[in-house]
Amino acid sequence: MATRVAINGFGTIGKRVADAVAAMPDMRVVGITKTRPTAEAWLAASRHFPLYGVAPEHVSALTDAGLQVEGTLSDLLQQADVVVDCSPGKKGAANVAAYEAAKVKAIFQGGEKHAVAGFSFNALVNYKQALGRSKARVVSCNTTGLIRTLFPLHKTFGIDHVHAVIVRRGADPSDSESGPINAIEPVLQLPSHHGPDVATVLEGLSIATMAVAVPTTLMHVHAIQVDLTRPPKGLDAVLDAWQHTPRVMLVRGDRGVVSTAQVMEQARDLGRQRSDLQEIALWEDGIALDGHKLYYYQAIHQESNVVPENIDCIRALHGKVKDQTESMRLTDKVLGLSTSTYP
Amino acid sequence: MATRVAINGFGTIGKRVADAVAAMPDMRVVGITKTRPTAEAWLAASRHFPLYGVAPEHVSALTDAGLQVEGTLSDLLQQADVVVDCSPGKKGAANVAAYEAAKVKAIFQGGEKHAVAGFSFNALVNYKQALGRSKARVVSCNTTGLIRTLFPLHKTFGIDHVHAVIVRRGADPSDSESGPINAIEPVLQLPSHHGPDVATVLEGLSIATMAVAVPTTLMHVHAIQVDLTRPPKGLDAVLDAWQHTPRVMLVRGDRGVVSTAQVMEQARDLGRQRSDLQEIALWEDGIALDGHKLYYYQAIHQESNVVPENIDCIRALHGKVKDQTESMRLTDKVLGLSTSTYP
Amino acid sequence: MATRVAINGFGTIGKRVADAVAAMPDMRVVGITKTRPTAEAWLAASRHFPLYGVAPEHVSALTDAGLQVEGTLSDLLQQADVVVDCSPGKKGAANVAAYEAAKVKAIFQGGEKHAVAGFSFNALVNYKQALGRSKARVVSCNTTGLIRTLFPLHKTFGIDHVHAVIVRRGADPSDSESGPINAIEPVLQLPSHHGPDVATVLEGLSIATMAVAVPTTLMHVHAIQVDLTRPPKGLDAVLDAWQHTPRVMLVRGDRGVVSTAQVMEQARDLGRQRSDLQEIALWEDGIALDGHKLYYYQAIHQESNVVPENIDCIRALHGKVKDQTESMRLTDKVLGLSTSTYP
Amino acid sequence: MATRVAINGFGTIGKRVADAVAAMPDMRVVGITKTRPTAEAWLAASRHFPLYGVAPEHVSALTDAGLQVEGTLSDLLQQADVVVDCSPGKKGAANVAAYEAAKVKAIFQGGEKHAVAGFSFNALVNYKQALGRSKARVVSCNTTGLIRTLFPLHKTFGIDHVHAVIVRRGADPSDSESGPINAIEPVLQLPSHHGPDVATVLEGLSIATMAVAVPTTLMHVHAIQVDLTRPPKGLDAVLDAWQHTPRVMLVRGDRGVVSTAQVMEQARDLGRQRSDLQEIALWEDGIALDGHKLYYYQAIHQESNVVPENIDCIRALHGKVKDQTESMRLTDKVLGLSTSTYP
């Protein structure tokens, strides 16, 4: 029987998770929630996802706009094995009690703190530990991106220390309110939260991060310096480690992929849904190794890279698929990701 | 037998026309040309489009990069019933002689002058006049956009004069070289070329246009004022005219579609290939009628809105489908456009 | 004796009006107000402008931060002949009662409605009618810009109708929060408020406006079409009318001034305070006359173009300088504007 | 007698150096060169700087446009003690022979290689070594910025290694052609040239840099991590080192200076010519010290921060002012920079 999945919140992440769940052969969407009759509420209707208000007042707001509504969040939770909380950042913690009361397994997003679930998830690193848990947090897009490329380095060469600078997009493509229009804004609180967040998954990793926000809507870019414990003799071994890592895609400046603009154009040309790129794009011709210091750049599609992680996390929590590779392979095949060697 | 289509040039427009041709049941791509081994050349290979160099030196450049090349443009033209010239703006005119020598029917894009073909095409307006012609020019994205929404007004209410201001995107999404980053740039040569260009299709229309370029990659926006000859009593009749026009999509600010950002997000949510929007987006709640003066805003997806026109133009030139509506319906159905009443 | 001027609000407009007042030989700043100890509060201190809180709680907030505070707005109004209300848009109306109670003459900005003062001011058009009034509203930057170049056309050639499209900057240079980053946003409520606002000064003028917001911080650009009643034979007469209009500056694309970027660079090179450009920049080589229709582009520095109008309005309300030309000449000379023939 | 200074090239840097030279009591501008009659040529005329063509053909082009021209570059060099080469990046090397032939001392900009002069200059670090030299290169804006804040750390605490990520503005404010509009572009060649360039002045310093270009025109931002040899116990000692360093300005996010937008607004409020900020802006509340690792952010005004260095370099080469502090104090006082303790 398919895992019954509820999605609480249907914005940037929620609508993507819903589409991905709907595409999986072993899952189905039992419902999604909205609070207001926005374009996304109509999108849910056109996708035939059962629509629920979060609270009774939302039911009326949605009904008044002419939408068919099935009930409230509590009603929805009765139908679900797993709920994926996609409410706006820092709002998920307030839902823990409702999920526990309904005895539904719950997945939170990276906007929440580690403590919300007591367990932070990345499919590559700790799928097995997540098996059967009642709660997990899928870490944020930036954290997921750092983990995907650092983990194979960690396993293969050992990591003494990481220093990463995160150049953040100012707003998502569908957001026309937020800026900046013409400024660079440093994240003054140091170290930025991303470093400690990586360590919730890669426990014990020594990592410090700084961040600046810039006026673009396309991807975050990371400039990363890693002190390797056992550096290889050449870059080939490093490339090899990444080539055998799922959800990492090597791109090349000498083929015209010189910025996030062309990375996203590749996603469009690949025919991905919503032109998303769930893999981390890592510049193959933008890597340097100097003694034990490794330097590289990667780009993170903030809207979508955590979607496959959510799918795997649903499987891990529901506990029917015990094998990490089996889950990741299935997820990636159905989403049309570039496949690769799996662990 | 399927119409054999060659595509000369495989950039922003060429790759889209090729994909659309490949999707049509009555056409096939016999080959595309490239001059350099860019990411798009590899894309063509992954799509299994036969790859040709334009001239012998391009064949070597492509071969050297490891691509399989079938020959030169002259070789390609031998295989084709119709060639769609998608070379960069103002470069198409130089190809006329080659197309004529090969006795292949030719379609040019809006970057060329009307004189290149002596006939400017829009499926809605003059499909029948194009039947069996040896050459035609599909007008530019802005001109196509103006024609699509002005033509039904012209037919229904009569137009005395049009004044349109075109707010142009500075660069396409895949272009990270062009600016401006933080400036508004007026097109000082007045009237801008767009007005006269509309009149190559809607002959005799009185129209003047001005234009400014702005720092965005998403869509052009038109602010349009039309002096109607026989204005209706209310906006309903105007909306009705547009609702019965193919390739025009009404969008609503009160549903959160307040800028080109949310219009393009709709295209992503609709699952269009490359997240394109081939229709003109017209704001239903941004229209005003004051006596004989009608005001409205529309947004034009510069990368894709001429693609269905190219498909129809191929059919018209090849001459097998005599009926405009039959061609447009088929094109739109295969591309997944929102269908509508057809003329 | 110098006119004693209070400035209520010390943001983008307030700090500029204060500096301009301080520079005038016949005026002095008796104080400015702030509510919070921002960088601008410290700027006021460094300029030696007496600092007041608006209400008692603001006095404490400013004092706690270490600033010297002289009292509240009511205390300040006792010291002033004229108060210039530079509070955020739509907040000025709430201050009318306080100004009337203090029997101080009051100037409002264009963010307020005409009704706030019952009189809308532009130095060129209606200085004399403002003489001795107790209240006036200096119209907004866009309205001021339209009036400056339309008024000489109106006087010389007559105007039947104006259609203007306003391409608005998304945020001011010092604002790093507002967007859009990558979108064009039409102002859907039609006609936009700018047209009727022009008619509060140029009474009876037939004008309709549309507007779009774009991702830049530099200047608004207007694309204007005017139907002239008595069109001249050639453009020379039109240029002559503008050349004899104060606070209008002709710029030339063929000297490299092709966008708002180079217009603002001129202001920097001219050594203007804060690199402001109080004049309207009108492209001399971007004008066309076709029968009775005149087309032109102009750029508006939204941060500063109303500053000289505020200065003249202070003089008009205080009533000591009866002559419009005497006031405008003095204002422009002290601010270092390019002088010109005066009416 | 005043040092006679020629400026070869009158663009972004040249026009600023010319204005600064003209303001110094011990220097005068004997002429500037232009090749084309752009707005900047007219600016030179309005500033009364004698205008020269580089070669005879430029003299004609300028004369034809109505400008008064005094001769060619060779003529100009006869009048000068020192020439400041402000020709576009990488074009200066071609002028070495002409300067040597004319026996004029020459200063090059950071777009040239170290070898062009064999000596790279920063006033704080090596003024004395420059005394009387015939040639020197003033290092680039980014290199100057790194040196200004690293040198006091180096002197006070010792530096083991520096890792800096440079977030570059995409284009200057007056450039409306260059992009990107909506992309982040990594500098793939690693390490980026900035690190080695710092070591041409701070010899022996271990430093690696990475860089990305972003869509803004305002300032570069550096995210810097320094491994200190003898770290202090707290941040106070670090702040103290910077507070006693000329041409470094501490700014505060908690006063609203949260991005480059507000940093540049400060320069406008300070009344600097062209709203330039010649100092490095360093966020006082964006610093962290973790063991021997120090983290900080700084912003670099790419158009102007090398201007005071050029002025000091002129004095050093001409050799009349032997004392570094005397020169720096005079430069900063005349330019209105915030003064500070000097070495």
Side-chain angles (χ1 to χ4, degrees):
Chain A
M1 205 183 89
T3 307
R4 299 169 305 158
V5 182
I7 289 123
N8 187 18
F10 195 72
T12 300
I13 298 298
K15 68 185 179 185
R16 285 173 167 84
V17 170
D19 282 342
V21 165
M24 294 295 142
D26 56 344
M27 302 181 186
R28 65 185 176 92
V29 175
V30 292
I32 68 103
T33 66
K34 283 296 294 177
T35 54
R36 289 178 304 128
T38 61
E40 276 150 347
W42 293 97
L43 172 66
S46 77
R47 288 279 203 271
H48 305 295
F49 295 143
L51 177 63
Y52 291 79
V54 174
E57 64 266 32
H58 307 134
V59 174
S60 343
L62 296 163
T63 306
D64 290 355
L67 288 153
Q68 185 183 332
V69 188
E70 309 299 328
T72 64
L73 175 60
S74 339
D75 301 323
L76 172 58
L77 294 177
Q78 303 304 320
Q79 319 294 323
D81 300 310
V82 180
V83 59
V84 184
D85 186 287
C86 298
S87 46
K90 299 177 188 169
K91 296 283 175 71
N95 299 327
V96 172
Y99 301 155
E100 289 180 345
K103 299 196 162 76
V104 63
K105 299 193 173 221
I107 295 173
F108 299 87
Q109 304 303 312
E112 307 305 316
K113 299 202 165 140
H114 174 75
V116 77
F119 179 80
S120 292
F121 179 84
N122 177 274
L124 204 58
V125 180
N126 58 16
Y127 183 95
K128 280 190 199 326
Q129 290 99 298
L131 282 172
R133 287 188 59 93
S134 62
K135 285 183 291 187
R137 180 184 72 125
V138 171
V139 290
S140 75
C141 56
N142 277 311
T143 304
T144 296
L146 288 165
I147 289 167
R148 285 204 192 138
T149 57
L150 289 173
F151 182 60
L153 298 178
H154 183 61
K155 275 199 315 185
T156 316
F157 311 110
I159 290 180
D160 289 338
H161 186 66
V162 178
H163 182 242
V165 174
I166 292 165
V167 183
R168 289 184 45 222
R169 61 87 183 96
D172 278 342
S174 63
D175 170 5
S176 57
E177 280 189 27
S178 306
I181 291 177
N182 190 33
I184 303 172
E185 180 166 343
V187 173
L188 295 179
Q189 186 162 352
L190 282 177
S192 73
H193 68 91
H194 311 89
D197 208 44
V198 170
T200 63
V201 175
L202 292 179
E203 290 170 28
L205 187 77
S206 170
I207 175 170
T209 48
M210 302 176 82
V212 297
V214 300
T216 167
T217 64
L218 299 181
M219 312 190 91
H220 307 300
V221 168
H222 298 172
I224 303 176
Q225 177 213 289
V226 184
D227 292 338
L228 297 174
T229 313
R230 304 173 297 275
K233 293 225 174 95
L235 280 179
D236 284 354
V238 175
L239 281 171
D240 189 66
W242 284 323
Q243 275 159 342
H244 290 83
T245 303
R247 301 175 189 169
V248 171
M249 175 187 280
L250 298 179
V251 296
R252 298 193 59 90
D254 61 9
R255 285 198 183 169
V257 184
V258 297
S259 76
T260 54
Q262 295 84 24
V263 174
M264 291 312 296
E265 185 74 3
Q266 282 207 329
R268 299 174 84 191
D269 287 342
L270 286 167
R272 298 291 175 83
Q273 193 177 13
R274 289 190 174 86
S275 300
D276 286 342
L277 191 76
Q278 292 89 347
E279 296 94 336
I280 306 311
L282 192 156
W283 271 275
E284 186 175 345
D285 47 357
I287 310 174
L289 183 64
D290 180 12
H292 66 289
K293 286 188 185 292
L294 176 71
Y295 302 89
Y296 65 101
Y297 296 104
Q298 63 183 24
I300 309 298
H301 187 222
Q302 76 277 357
E303 298 177 290
S304 73
N305 77 328
V306 300
V307 172
E309 308 293 333
N310 273 278
I311 296 298
D312 293 327
C313 194
I314 291 168
R315 284 206 194 89
L317 263 52
H318 201 208
K320 288 202 190 159
V321 180
K322 310 290 185 206
D323 184 59
Q324 160 192 26
T325 297
E326 184 186 337
S327 175
M328 293 182 75
R329 264 189 211 279
L330 179 57
T331 302
D332 294 359
K333 189 181 165 193
V334 173
L335 296 182
L337 306 200
S338 43
T339 49
S340 162
T341 313
Y342 283 85
Chain B
M1 205 183 92
T3 306
R4 299 169 305 158
V5 183
I7 290 123
N8 187 18
F10 195 73
T12 301
I13 299 297
K15 68 184 179 186
R16 286 174 167 83
V17 170
D19 282 342
V21 166
M24 294 295 142
D26 57 343
M27 303 182 185
R28 65 185 176 90
V29 175
V30 292
I32 68 101
T33 66
K34 282 296 295 176
T35 55
R36 288 178 304 128
T38 60
E40 276 151 347
W42 292 97
L43 171 66
S46 78
R47 289 278 203 271
H48 305 296
F49 295 143
L51 177 63
Y52 291 78
V54 175
E57 65 266 31
H58 307 133
V59 175
S60 343
L62 296 163
T63 307
D64 290 356
L67 288 152
Q68 185 184 331
V69 188
E70 309 300 328
T72 64
L73 175 60
S74 340
D75 300 325
L76 171 58
L77 295 178
Q78 302 304 319
Q79 318 294 323
D81 300 309
V82 180
V83 60
V84 184
D85 186 287
C86 298
S87 46
K90 299 178 189 170
K91 296 283 176 70
N95 299 329
V96 172
Y99 301 155
E100 289 180 346
K103 299 198 163 72
V104 63
K105 298 191 174 223
I107 294 172
F108 298 87
Q109 303 303 313
E112 306 305 315
K113 299 202 165 139
H114 175 75
V116 77
F119 180 81
S120 291
F121 178 85
N122 176 274
L124 204 59
V125 180
N126 57 18
Y127 184 94
K128 279 190 198 327
Q129 288 98 300
L131 281 172
R133 287 188 59 93
S134 62
K135 285 183 291 189
R137 179 183 73 123
V138 170
V139 291
S140 75
C141 56
N142 276 312
T143 304
T144 295
L146 288 166
I147 289 169
R148 284 202 193 141
T149 55
L150 289 173
F151 183 60
L153 299 178
H154 183 60
K155 275 200 314 184
T156 314
F157 311 110
I159 291 179
D160 289 338
H161 186 65
V162 178
H163 183 242
V165 174
I166 293 164
V167 183
R168 289 184 45 223
R169 62 86 184 95
D172 277 342
S174 63
D175 170 5
S176 58
E177 280 190 26
S178 305
I181 291 176
N182 190 32
I184 303 173
E185 180 166 342
V187 172
L188 295 179
Q189 187 162 350
L190 283 177
S192 74
H193 68 90
H194 311 90
D197 208 44
V198 170
T200 63
V201 175
L202 291 179
E203 291 171 27
L205 187 78
S206 171
I207 176 169
T209 49
M210 304 177 80
V212 298
V214 301
T216 167
T217 65
L218 298 182
M219 313 189 91
H220 306 301
V221 168
H222 298 172
I224 304 176
Q225 176 214 289
V226 184
D227 293 337
L228 297 174
T229 313
R230 301 173 299 276
K233 292 222 176 97
L235 279 178
D236 284 354
V238 175
L239 281 170
D240 189 67
W242 283 324
Q243 275 159 343
H244 290 85
T245 302
R247 301 174 188 169
V248 171
M249 175 186 279
L250 298 179
V251 296
R252 299 192 58 91
D254 61 9
R255 284 197 185 170
V257 183
V258 296
S259 77
T260 55
Q262 294 85 23
V263 174
M264 291 312 296
E265 185 73 5
Q266 281 207 330
R268 300 175 84 190
D269 286 342
L270 285 167
R272 298 291 175 82
Q273 192 177 14
R274 288 190 174 85
S275 301
D276 286 341
L277 192 75
Q278 293 89 348
E279 297 94 334
I280 305 311
L282 192 156
W283 271 274
E284 186 176 343
D285 48 356
I287 311 174
L289 183 64
D290 180 12
H292 67 289
K293 285 188 186 292
L294 176 71
Y295 303 87
Y296 66 100
Y297 296 103
Q298 64 183 23
I300 309 296
H301 187 222
Q302 75 278 356
E303 299 177 290
S304 74
N305 77 327
V306 300
V307 172
E309 308 293 332
N310 273 277
I311 296 299
D312 293 325
C313 194
I314 291 169
R315 284 206 194 90
L317 263 54
H318 202 209
K320 288 202 188 157
V321 180
K322 309 292 186 203
D323 183 60
Q324 161 194 22
T325 297
E326 185 186 337
S327 175
M328 293 181 75
R329 264 190 210 280
L330 179 57
T331 302
D332 294 358
K333 189 181 165 193
V334 172
L335 295 181
L337 306 201
S338 43
T339 49
S340 161
T341 313
Y342 283 84
Chain C
M1 205 184 92
T3 306
R4 299 169 306 159
V5 182
I7 290 123
N8 186 18
F10 195 71
T12 301
I13 298 298
K15 68 186 179 183
R16 286 173 166 84
V17 169
D19 282 342
V21 165
M24 295 296 141
D26 57 344
M27 301 180 186
R28 66 185 177 88
V29 176
V30 293
I32 68 101
T33 66
K34 283 296 295 176
T35 55
R36 289 179 303 128
T38 61
E40 276 151 347
W42 293 96
L43 172 67
S46 78
R47 290 279 203 270
H48 304 297
F49 295 143
L51 176 64
Y52 291 79
V54 174
E57 64 267 30
H58 308 133
V59 174
S60 343
L62 296 163
T63 307
D64 290 354
L67 288 152
Q68 185 184 332
V69 188
E70 309 300 329
T72 64
L73 175 60
S74 341
D75 300 324
L76 171 58
L77 295 177
Q78 303 303 320
Q79 318 293 321
D81 299 309
V82 180
V83 60
V84 184
D85 186 287
C86 297
S87 46
K90 300 177 188 169
K91 296 284 177 70
N95 299 327
V96 172
Y99 302 156
E100 288 180 346
K103 298 198 163 73
V104 63
K105 295 185 177 228
I107 295 173
F108 298 87
Q109 304 303 313
E112 306 304 317
K113 298 204 164 137
H114 175 75
V116 76
F119 180 81
S120 291
F121 178 85
N122 176 273
L124 205 58
V125 179
N126 59 16
Y127 184 94
K128 277 190 199 328
Q129 289 98 297
L131 281 172
R133 287 188 59 92
S134 61
K135 285 184 291 190
R137 179 183 74 124
V138 171
V139 290
S140 75
C141 56
N142 276 311
T143 304
T144 296
L146 288 166
I147 290 168
R148 283 201 192 142
T149 57
L150 290 173
F151 182 59
L153 299 178
H154 183 59
K155 274 200 315 185
T156 315
F157 311 110
I159 290 180
D160 289 339
H161 186 65
V162 178
H163 183 242
V165 174
I166 293 166
V167 183
R168 290 183 45 221
R169 60 88 184 95
D172 279 341
S174 63
D175 170 4
S176 57
E177 281 190 25
S178 306
I181 290 176
N182 190 33
I184 303 173
E185 180 167 343
V187 173
L188 295 179
Q189 187 163 352
L190 282 178
S192 74
H193 68 90
H194 311 89
D197 208 44
V198 170
T200 63
V201 175
L202 292 179
E203 291 170 26
L205 187 77
S206 169
I207 176 169
T209 49
M210 302 177 82
V212 297
V214 300
T216 166
T217 64
L218 298 181
M219 311 189 93
H220 307 301
V221 168
H222 298 171
I224 303 176
Q225 175 213 290
V226 184
D227 293 337
L228 296 174
T229 313
R230 302 173 300 275
K233 294 226 174 95
L235 279 178
D236 284 356
V238 175
L239 281 171
D240 189 67
W242 283 325
Q243 276 160 341
H244 290 84
T245 303
R247 301 175 188 170
V248 171
M249 176 187 279
L250 298 178
V251 296
R252 298 192 58 91
D254 62 8
R255 284 197 185 169
V257 183
V258 296
S259 77
T260 54
Q262 295 85 24
V263 173
M264 291 311 297
E265 185 74 4
Q266 281 207 330
R268 299 175 85 190
D269 286 342
L270 285 167
R272 296 292 175 83
Q273 192 177 13
R274 289 189 174 86
S275 301
D276 287 341
L277 192 75
Q278 293 89 347
E279 295 95 335
I280 306 311
L282 192 156
W283 271 274
E284 186 176 343
D285 47 358
I287 311 174
L289 183 64
D290 180 12
H292 66 288
K293 287 190 184 290
L294 177 71
Y295 303 88
Y296 65 100
Y297 296 104
Q298 63 183 23
I300 308 297
H301 186 223
Q302 76 277 357
E303 299 177 289
S304 73
N305 78 328
V306 300
V307 172
E309 308 294 333
N310 273 278
I311 296 298
D312 293 325
C313 193
I314 292 169
R315 284 205 193 91
L317 262 53
H318 202 207
K320 287 199 186 161
V321 179
K322 310 290 187 205
D323 184 60
Q324 160 193 23
T325 297
E326 184 185 337
S327 175
M328 293 182 74
R329 264 190 210 282
L330 179 58
T331 302
D332 294 358
K333 189 180 166 192
V334 172
L335 295 181
L337 306 201
S338 45
T339 50
S340 160
T341 314
Y342 283 86
Chain D
M1 205 184 91
T3 306
R4 299 169 306 161
V5 183
I7 290 122
N8 187 18
F10 195 71
T12 299
I13 299 298
K15 68 185 178 184
R16 285 173 166 83
V17 170
D19 282 342
V21 166
M24 294 295 141
D26 57 343
M27 302 181 185
R28 66 184 176 90
V29 176
V30 293
I32 69 101
T33 66
K34 282 296 295 176
T35 56
R36 290 178 303 129
T38 61
E40 275 152 348
W42 293 98
L43 172 66
S46 78
R47 289 279 204 270
H48 305 296
F49 294 143
L51 177 64
Y52 291 78
V54 175
E57 65 268 29
H58 307 134
V59 174
S60 343
L62 296 163
T63 307
D64 290 355
L67 288 153
Q68 185 183 332
V69 188
E70 310 299 329
T72 64
L73 175 60
S74 339
D75 300 324
L76 172 58
L77 295 177
Q78 302 304 318
Q79 318 294 322
D81 299 310
V82 180
V83 60
V84 184
D85 187 288
C86 298
S87 46
K90 300 177 188 170
K91 296 284 176 71
N95 298 327
V96 172
Y99 301 155
E100 288 180 345
K103 298 196 163 74
V104 62
K105 297 189 175 224
I107 295 172
F108 299 87
Q109 304 303 314
E112 308 303 317
K113 299 203 163 139
H114 175 75
V116 76
F119 180 81
S120 291
F121 179 84
N122 176 274
L124 205 59
V125 180
N126 58 16
Y127 184 96
K128 279 190 199 325
Q129 291 96 297
L131 282 172
R133 287 188 58 93
S134 62
K135 284 184 294 191
R137 178 184 74 122
V138 171
V139 290
S140 74
C141 56
N142 276 312
T143 306
T144 296
L146 288 166
I147 290 168
R148 284 202 191 141
T149 56
L150 289 173
F151 182 60
L153 299 177
H154 183 60
K155 275 200 315 184
T156 315
F157 311 110
I159 290 179
D160 289 338
H161 185 66
V162 178
H163 182 243
V165 174
I166 293 165
V167 183
R168 290 183 46 220
R169 61 86 183 99
D172 278 342
S174 63
D175 171 4
S176 57
E177 280 189 26
S178 305
I181 290 177
N182 190 33
I184 303 173
E185 180 167 342
V187 173
L188 295 178
Q189 187 162 353
L190 283 178
S192 74
H193 67 90
H194 311 89
D197 208 45
V198 170
T200 63
V201 174
L202 292 178
E203 291 170 27
L205 186 77
S206 170
I207 175 169
T209 49
M210 303 176 82
V212 297
V214 299
T216 166
T217 64
L218 298 182
M219 312 189 92
H220 307 301
V221 168
H222 298 171
I224 304 175
Q225 176 214 290
V226 184
D227 292 338
L228 296 174
T229 313
R230 303 173 298 277
K233 295 226 173 96
L235 279 179
D236 284 356
V238 175
L239 281 171
D240 189 68
W242 283 325
Q243 275 160 341
H244 290 83
T245 304
R247 300 173 190 171
V248 171
M249 176 187 280
L250 298 178
V251 296
R252 298 192 60 91
D254 61 8
R255 284 197 184 170
V257 183
V258 296
S259 76
T260 54
Q262 295 85 24
V263 174
M264 291 312 296
E265 185 74 4
Q266 280 207 330
R268 298 175 85 190
D269 286 342
L270 285 167
R272 297 292 174 82
Q273 192 178 14
R274 289 187 175 87
S275 301
D276 287 341
L277 191 76
Q278 292 90 347
E279 295 95 334
I280 306 310
L282 192 156
W283 272 274
E284 186 175 344
D285 47 358
I287 311 173
L289 184 64
D290 178 13
H292 67 287
K293 287 189 185 291
L294 176 72
Y295 303 87
Y296 65 100
Y297 296 104
Q298 63 183 24
I300 309 297
H301 187 223
Q302 76 278 357
E303 299 177 289
S304 74
N305 78 328
V306 300
V307 172
E309 308 293 332
N310 272 277
I311 296 298
D312 292 326
C313 193
I314 292 168
R315 284 203 194 91
L317 262 53
H318 202 208
K320 288 199 187 161
V321 179
K322 310 292 186 204
D323 183 61
Q324 161 194 21
T325 297
E326 184 186 337
S327 175
M328 292 183 75
R329 264 190 210 281
L330 179 57
T331 302
D332 294 358
K333 189 180 166 194
V334 172
L335 295 181
L337 306 200
S338 43
T339 49
S340 162
T341 314
Y342 284 85

